[in-house]
Amino acid sequence: MKSNRILLPVLASVLFAFAASAAPADPLENGFLNPPDSAKPQTWWHWMNGNITTNGITADLEAMKQIGLGGATIVNVDSGIPRGPVNFMSTEWRADFKFAMQEASRLGLEMCVENCAGWSSSGGPWNTVTNAMQRVTTSEVRIAGPTNFNAALPQPPTTLDFYRDIAVLAFPAPDGENVRMMDSAPVASASGDELPGNKLTDGDAGTFIRLPVPRSGQPQYAQLEFQKPFSARMMKITGGRGMPECSGEIQISDDGTTFRDLRPFAFARRGSVNLTISLGAKPVAARFWRVQFTSAAATATNIPLADIELAPRLTIENIDAKDGFSGVAVLSARDAGDATTGAVQRRDVVDLTSKLTAGGKLNWRVPAGEWVILRLGYTPTGATNHPAPVEGTGLECDKFSKTALDAHWAGFMQKILDDLGPLAGKTLDSSLIDSYEVGGQNWTKDFRAEFQKRRGYDPLKFLPAFTGRVVDNTAVSERFLWDVRRTIADMFAENYYGHFAELCRQHGLMNAVEPYTGPFE
């Protein structure tokens, strides 16, 4: 009996094994147990600030193969790591990169490389100022007519010594534009221990106070007190360097004791440090104006606040986002009205562009009344790729220009593809545009023509909206700025991400992107 008890289980296991081997294999189970190369996970492979050796490359790739990875994406980053001996894009770096592809081919691994150093976005020292991301920049002259204006117009603020004119427009000065808050001599105060002095009213973003971080039930504030009620339809709040994500309320008071909420506000994590807030079509008057912070990011150590500006002029709220400059996603105002008081009327806008000389001089017979002469141009945003080794850091390419992206591709991708020969498009089978973290852009050389082609009308006489002025009325201006953002999104899709995909396909590569938190859909 004892021997039978041993024999029966053994016989049963043999019969079960035979039956299992005779049964048809389940392709789903087999694929799960032995996944094809196309289904294997891949990893990020950071080449840290030139700390590269051929022995390290082989060891890393063999370890990837050993644990069942199908490949990796190479990202050349800095992130504060001490410098290594191999400079990005040097002869030695290019030899090491080719060696890595040869080793990956030997091991049967698929490789991808980011299209520049850093993890955002498409930049490098080979990108010139003409091929960089561009933004609208403006300057103004106020003049009373009738008179003859014959002088140089101030050149708008310029980045990297590159500037090109877009247009020169003149229009009657809207109501409320000649009122300056500082003429009413407001007195600033704040919670916390720091005395503001004139830091909140000097118009200088480089001078700011630091408020304590607000806690539950313990808001923090900055306040302007006027001798008599000051009427305003707009408030601009400017954060200082290192402004964290935070929010609060604009409050007003007649006696400095009892305050009422007027409008909420919020600074986004990656948004502009400038908030332009419309208070409505009708002016609001109060002696005490308070910017009260009620919440802040958990990582915040203080609230740096640079300026509070009030004005009675009609304005477009959050213009830095609505005109595409900040790159922050924004919706049009739901309650945009048809108020015209304080608005620039298109029928009154005079196009003086042809009268501007190459040296920036204008000769114009000014009609009667108060006029604003607005000079608009474009200049680089100054955005660069990051976090990249210093030798791989440079201007981000113009996202609206296929020509600019072609030049960027030639500066990096084409060179390594040429180095790899037959390994390009095989072992190196894709390229990546990583996370979008380089802010907005709202102009390029042919933006006006592209806008007209895509939206069906000329934006010229709407351009004062880029200064925050309402053109015709608020509803019309909101629709125009939506068209601006629609054009920006279309050009991003076609001339940046779409053209990058075309370049990859032309070279036998797949394309990969991380498109988020940008001025596009």
Side-chain angles (χ1 to χ4, degrees):
M1 292 295 294
K2 185 176 181 179
S3 61
N4 287 343
R5 283 197 297 269
I6 295 172
L7 179 60
L8 288 174
V10 172
L11 180 60
S13 63
V14 171
L15 291 173
F16 178 80
F18 175 78
S21 64
D26 181 348
L28 181 62
E29 180 181 5
N30 184 60
F32 184 80
L33 294 174
N34 302 285
D37 289 344
S38 61
K40 290 180 179 178
Q42 298 193 10
T43 189
W44 295 87
W45 190 17
H46 289 86
W47 287 23
M48 304 300 293
N49 205 15
N51 290 278
I52 308 163
T53 65
T54 54
N55 288 339
I57 288 170
T58 298
D60 281 354
L61 290 172
E62 287 183 345
M64 293 178 204
K65 182 69 174 181
Q66 183 179 358
I67 64 173
L69 296 179
T73 295
I74 297 175
V75 186
N76 290 272
V77 291
D78 181 343
S79 291
I81 301 298
R83 287 182 64 85
V86 183
N87 288 340
F88 178 72
M89 284 302 284
S90 64
T91 301
E92 186 178 1
W93 184 94
R94 290 171 71 169
D96 286 345
F97 187 86
K98 182 175 182 179
F99 175 77
M101 296 305 107
Q102 292 169 334
E103 287 291 85
S105 177
R106 174 178 66 85
L107 296 165
L109 298 172
E110 298 173 347
M111 305 303 293
C112 174
V113 65
E114 185 165 354
N115 79 118
C116 69
W119 56 58
S120 182
S121 174
S122 296
W126 45 83
N127 290 329
T128 63
V129 289
T130 56
N131 285 333
M133 297 173 68
Q134 307 291 330
R135 64 178 175 89
V136 174
T137 181
T138 65
S139 67
E140 300 180 10
V141 172
R142 296 180 67 91
I143 188 78
T147 187
N148 190 61
F149 181 88
N150 187 13
L153 294 177
Q155 182 173 301
T158 301
T159 304
L160 300 175
D161 295 324
F162 178 81
Y163 170 83
R164 296 291 184 271
D165 280 304
I166 297 171
V168 176
L169 305 174
F171 47 85
D175 292 344
E177 286 207 356
N178 60 345
V179 177
R180 296 176 64 250
M181 182 186 76
M182 287 307 296
D183 292 340
S184 297
V187 177
S189 59
S191 58
D193 299 327
E194 188 172 354
L195 297 176
N198 67 347
K199 290 181 179 179
L200 297 179
T201 55
D202 62 2
D204 184 355
T207 62
F208 52 89
I209 66 170
R210 295 187 182 274
L211 295 173
V213 176
R215 306 296 182 191
S216 179
Q218 293 181 310
Q220 304 293 335
Y221 67 87
Q223 177 177 292
L224 299 181
E225 178 184 352
F226 294 84
Q227 287 288 327
K228 58 183 181 179
F230 185 84
S231 294
R233 290 193 288 183
M234 180 276 284
M235 175 182 279
K236 183 177 181 180
I237 308 171
T238 303
R241 187 170 54 251
M243 190 70 170
E245 182 178 7
C246 56
S247 60
E249 298 278 347
I250 298 171
Q251 297 182 317
I252 55 175
S253 173
D254 297 320
D255 58 10
T257 302
T258 303
F259 285 82
R260 66 182 186 275
D261 292 344
L262 187 61
R263 283 291 310 275
F265 67 86
F267 285 89
R269 183 166 65 96
R270 288 181 179 162
S272 171
V273 296
N274 300 307
L275 287 184
T276 303
I277 301 167
S278 172
L279 305 177
K282 295 181 179 180
V284 178
R287 280 192 60 218
F288 296 85
W289 291 81
R290 178 176 286 187
V291 176
Q292 179 169 269
F293 295 87
T294 55
S295 67
T299 55
T301 57
N302 57 67
I303 305 291
L305 187 61
D307 269 303
I308 301 172
E309 178 190 355
L310 290 163
R313 66 178 180 270
L314 188 63
T315 193
I316 298 168
E317 181 166 290
N318 206 4
I319 184 62
D320 283 352
K322 287 181 179 176
D323 69 5
F325 171 63
S326 70
V328 176
V330 65
L331 298 176
S332 299
R334 288 187 175 185
D335 57 350
D338 57 2
T340 58
T341 302
V344 175
Q345 298 302 313
R346 270 183 298 153
R347 63 176 177 270
D348 298 330
V349 175
V350 181
D351 180 11
L352 301 175
T353 308
S354 63
K355 295 180 178 295
L356 186 71
T357 70
K361 190 174 181 180
L362 177 70
N363 189 343
W364 177 51
R365 182 64 186 172
V366 183
E370 292 285 331
W371 287 79
V372 175
I373 302 174
L374 176 65
R375 184 178 182 182
L376 302 104
Y378 63 95
T379 191
T381 69
T384 60
N385 55 316
H386 62 271
V390 62
E391 64 275 6
T393 300
L395 290 168
E396 281 284 331
C397 73
D398 185 345
K399 306 302 185 289
F400 301 164
S401 168
K402 291 183 180 180
T403 299
L405 184 58
D406 286 341
H408 172 68
W409 181 278
F412 175 62
M413 285 300 303
Q414 192 60 56
K415 290 178 180 178
I416 63 173
L417 292 174
D418 291 344
D419 288 345
L420 294 181
L423 293 174
K426 293 183 177 160
T427 300
L428 182 67
D429 67 1
S430 55
S431 183
L432 166 74
I433 295 177
D434 207 345
S435 59
Y436 189 88
E437 301 174 19
V438 291
Q441 75 167 94
N442 57 10
W443 206 262
T444 192
K445 181 176 66 173
D446 57 353
F447 188 85
R448 180 182 171 187
E450 286 291 326
F451 182 99
Q452 193 162 356
K453 179 178 73 176
R454 296 164 187 270
R455 306 280 82 85
Y457 65 96
D458 191 343
L460 180 68
K461 292 191 176 183
F462 286 97
L463 293 181
F466 277 82
T467 68
R469 291 182 172 93
V470 172
V471 178
D472 283 352
N473 60 58
T474 307
V476 167
S477 295
E478 290 282 357
R479 291 199 294 271
F480 165 67
L481 292 169
W482 189 94
D483 284 346
V484 169
R485 299 193 299 278
R486 178 71 267 167
T487 303
I488 287 172
D490 289 348
M491 294 183 75
F492 256 95
E494 295 176 24
N495 297 341
Y496 183 46
Y497 290 117
H499 188 50
F500 179 75
E502 292 172 358
L503 290 170
C504 286
R505 284 193 292 271
Q506 290 171 13
H507 294 84
L509 304 174
M510 296 181 289
N511 71 295
V513 297
E514 279 191 15
Y516 59 83
T517 64
F520 45 78
E521 293 182 356

